[in-house]
Amino acid sequence: DTGVSQDPRHKITKRGQNVTFRCDPISEHNRLYWYRQTLGQGPEFLTYFQNEAQLEKSRLLSDRFSAERPKGSFSTLEIQRTEQGDSAMYLCASRLGTGSSYEQYFGPGTRLTVT
Amino acid sequence: AQTVTQSQPEMSVQEAETVTLSCTYDTSESNYYLFWYKQPPSRQMILVIRQEAYKQQNATENRFSVNFQKAAKSFSLKISDSQLGDTAMYFCALMYSGGGADGLTFGKGTHLIIQP
């Protein structure tokens, strides 16, 4: 499978715990995106990387959230001191940074439930 | 700030019928891209069709076509000869193409149900 993969697919955690999600983009894609999708809503942009550089962060990304892409390949999204409002689907997407397609390819998502 | 509005939370049509999903958007930018993404139940989001704002010709992909009205900031999706496999959430999305702000802005989605 050469698509975008995310791990874990589901995560249940207690309020106050830290969680970390991983995203593996399509191998030749240098741009990687994180989105959050709550029930009944469209995805909301959180942040994106070009190679290892984090170029943009949404105001939705509070200081409890941190994302990294240390070698320009996979990325991690960490949420510290989780709150019930963090319960959502976290989607990762990737695309080529060159060319005219602009198509983002999405992973299956990580569903987070905070109890 | 960019906004995308989908005013139809849910639509239901019979198989083989034609259905049109509505989308309006607001942006102050002149260079942008518009997309329709499909999210089947419990499956990942996939691109259905895209439109470059600088192109006047409406995009088509097999049974899927768009009606892009730039002045009205409207971007509707038409699905012809609908099939059971078209049942999904459909999201309209916008992306600024001028560099810098690179994330997609999505609407709330339309749940499309194709009845047999």
Side-chain angles (χ1 to χ4, degrees), chain A:
Chain A
D1 186 358
T2 57
V4 178
S5 61
Q6 293 186 244
D7 184 69
R9 296 290 304 275
H10 303 273
K11 178 72 176 178
I12 300 173
T13 191
K14 292 185 178 180
R15 188 177 53 188
Q17 297 294 304
N18 299 344
V19 295
T20 300
F21 311 140
R22 177 180 170 125
C23 171
D24 286 88
I26 294 172
S27 59
E28 62 267 28
H29 287 182
N30 62 343
R31 294 202 180 188
L32 185 148
Y33 305 79
W34 285 100
Y35 294 86
R36 181 175 70 187
Q37 185 178 19
T38 53
L39 204 60
Q41 302 292 319
E44 297 170 293
F45 169 75
L46 293 178
T47 188
Y48 94 95
F49 294 83
Q50 179 165 297
N51 300 312
E52 65 275 10
Q54 188 173 16
L55 296 186
E56 187 185 358
K57 292 194 289 186
S58 161
R59 286 173 292 177
L60 293 174
L61 211 66
S62 76
D63 56 6
R64 296 185 298 105
F65 288 70
S66 63
E68 293 184 341
R69 195 182 183 197
K71 297 183 179 178
S73 57
F74 73 92
S75 174
T76 59
L77 177 68
E78 181 184 17
I79 308 174
Q80 296 182 327
R81 304 180 304 281
T82 52
E83 302 172 356
Q84 287 188 323
D86 297 331
S87 294
M89 177 76 85
Y90 290 84
L91 299 171
C92 177
S94 70
R95 74 169 180 95
L96 283 169
T98 57
S100 60
S101 170
Y102 290 92
E103 177 180 354
Q104 294 185 21
Y105 294 79
F106 283 81
T110 294
R111 182 169 296 283
L112 173 66
T113 302
V114 181
T115 61

Side-chain angles (χ1 to χ4, degrees), chain B residues 58-104:
Chain B
N58 289 324
T60 62
E61 288 285 345
N62 300 313
R63 298 184 294 109
F64 300 87
S65 61
V66 298
N67 183 2
F68 174 47
Q69 301 289 327
K70 190 171 184 179
K73 295 183 177 177
S74 170
F75 183 61
S76 61
L77 174 70
K78 186 171 83 170
I79 305 174
S80 303
D81 186 27
S82 57
Q83 301 173 359
L84 296 178
D86 295 333
T87 293
M89 284 293 295
Y90 286 81
F91 294 97
C92 179
L94 180 150
M95 188 186 81
Y96 171 54
S97 59
D102 204 46
L104 290 164

Side-chain angles (χ1 to χ4, degrees), chain B residues 33-75:
Chain B
Y33 287 79
L34 292 161
F35 305 86
W36 279 97
Y37 276 88
K38 170 185 178 181
Q39 189 175 40
S42 301
R43 295 183 63 186
Q44 58 208 79
M45 199 168 309
I46 57 173
L47 180 68
V48 174
I49 197 166
R50 68 172 178 271
Q51 174 80 41
E52 294 88 338
Y54 63 87
K55 289 187 177 178
Q56 292 185 331
Q57 187 173 6
N58 289 324
T60 62
E61 288 285 345
N62 300 313
R63 298 184 294 109
F64 300 87
S65 61
V66 298
N67 183 2
F68 174 47
Q69 301 289 327
K70 190 171 184 179
K73 295 183 177 177
S74 170
F75 183 61

